[in-house]
Amino acid sequence: MPNHTGFKGNKQSLPSKPCSVCGRPMSWRKKWEKNWEQLKYCSEACRRARGGA
C-alpha cells in the first residue's frame, strides 16, 4: 500500500516541542499540522491542569 502523505517513516526528523505544563516532549502529528504553532498541551489532562500548575 503506497504512502501518499510524503512521510517516509523517519520520526527523528519530525519537529517536537515541550508541553507547557508537564514539560514532556510533543512530537508533530499530521492532525496538528494547521495549529502546531498554537499547540501548548500534550494532553487533555495537562490542558485541564494548566490553572493549577
Side-chain angles (χ1 to χ4, degrees):
M1 183 176 246
N3 185 357
H4 296 288
T5 63
F7 178 64
K8 303 295 185 205
N10 186 358
K11 294 181 182 180
Q12 298 289 329
S13 65
L14 293 175
S16 67
K17 62 182 175 179
C19 173
S20 61
V21 174
C22 68
R24 280 188 278 187
M26 299 181 288
S27 295
W28 186 89
R29 295 182 185 181
K30 180 69 175 170
K31 68 180 185 177
W32 293 339
E33 182 176 26
K34 291 185 171 103
N35 65 345
W36 176 249
E37 296 300 320
Q38 294 83 27
L39 195 67
K40 296 179 184 176
Y41 312 110
C42 66
S43 65
E44 188 67 23
C46 279
R47 188 187 64 80
R48 279 187 248 123
R50 71 182 183 255

